[in-house]
Amino acid sequence: MATLHVLSHSPFGDGRFASCLRLLGEGDALLLCGDAVYALQPASTPYASLERLGASTPVYALAEDHAARGGGAPGAGVTLVDYAAFVELCCRYERVNSWL
Amino acid sequence: MKFAIALFAPPHSPAARRALRFAEASLQAGHQIVRLFFYQDGVHSASANVVCPQDELDVAAAWTRFIQEKQLDGVVCIAAGLRRGVLDAAEASRYGRPAANLAAGWELSGLGQLHEAAQQADRLVCFGGN
């Protein structure tokens, strides 16, 4: 069942980010919000992991949280979304799994 | 689409604001919120006693306004609330505490309400973290 995985913790603080990437299934997508947007820091290990996901796993990031944490233009393959798009993503995927 | 929204983080956390913005956006898009469930430190958003610095968004007050204006089912986990001193008049009386602080529009109830909301909704969206 296609799942939207929502991450909100920094990928540098604990193992949620790595665990989530390991568990991603066919058709799943990732939404980074809060401190999880630090995974988009260029040349970082988390960002390299995201790049390895490939086009079959869409990666989204909450634009407001990305901007609030000083993020610049995101890398290729990362889509910045607003809250309306966040809601739409929750409708598009059959399940929403928040990594609390 | 019917949403159930659960918040696990306190009102001073970014997650509480994010959950509020998500709830507002879902109604703006024409969806329905079957229940808002506040659990763990999320229960503090239902306290009428939160005092926020003047230069910050008072997320607890914003939640209370939101559920009142939209007439939503705002449920606070009673066990999590009691543990953190979020009491309605009945619980303050029952446990002999000097005051009740549950803001108007909220209800203390059990964790079963989260389960029921998850069954009734098309999507359960949980908020926590940073």
Side-chain angles (χ1 to χ4, degrees):
Chain A
M1 196 176 275
T3 301
L4 177 69
H5 293 265
V6 181
L7 283 159
S8 56
H9 289 78
S10 168
F12 302 102
D14 55 47
R16 286 182 182 83
F17 180 79
S19 299
C20 174
L21 294 198
R22 270 202 301 278
L23 291 171
L24 286 175
E26 185 78 25
D28 288 359
L30 204 57
L31 171 63
L32 306 172
C33 54
D35 284 351
V37 302
Y38 288 125
L40 300 179
Q41 287 291 315
S44 66
T45 306
Y47 186 65
S49 321
L50 290 179
E51 283 184 310
R52 281 196 295 274
L53 288 177
S56 61
T57 306
V59 178
Y60 303 94
L62 200 55
E64 204 173 73
D65 291 356
H66 181 61
R69 287 159 181 79
V78 178
T79 308
L80 294 180
V81 296
D82 59 11
Y83 280 95
F86 185 175
V87 171
E88 195 277 318
L89 284 173
C90 291
C91 298
R92 196 190 309 170
Y93 291 87
E94 290 164 277
R95 283 169 191 263
V96 182
N97 181 37
S98 299
W99 290 71
L100 293 173
Chain B
M1 187 76 69
K2 293 178 182 172
F3 282 104
I5 297 172
L7 175 61
F8 295 70
H12 52 270
S13 74
R17 181 182 174 283
R18 201 156 55 238
L20 177 62
R21 293 287 173 257
F22 180 90
E24 290 168 343
S26 64
L27 292 187
Q28 276 162 16
H31 301 298
Q32 183 190 345
I33 298 173
V34 297
R35 183 165 294 146
L36 295 153
F37 192 86
F38 290 68
Y39 193 40
Q40 296 177 354
D41 283 346
V43 303
H44 291 295
S45 280
S47 168
N49 279 353
V50 172
V51 179
C52 191
Q54 287 181 7
D55 59 347
E56 289 180 20
L57 172 67
D58 189 341
V59 175
W63 269 119
T64 296
R65 272 198 309 276
F66 180 68
I67 65 158
Q68 287 175 352
E69 284 170 10
K70 305 296 181 187
Q71 304 211 317
L72 297 170
D73 188 15
V75 176
V76 174
C77 173
I78 188 165
L82 292 177
R83 187 187 287 280
R84 291 167 177 82
V86 178
L87 310 176
D88 62 8
E91 298 306 316
S93 166
R94 187 197 317 273
Y95 293 101
R97 294 301 188 266
N101 61 336
L102 189 74
W106 297 87
E107 186 190 347
L108 292 176
S109 193
L111 195 54
Q113 299 290 311
L114 174 59
H115 185 267
E116 187 188 71
Q119 300 302 313
Q120 289 174 347
D122 299 305
R123 298 286 185 278
L124 168 65
V125 186
C126 299
F127 290 87
N130 301 302

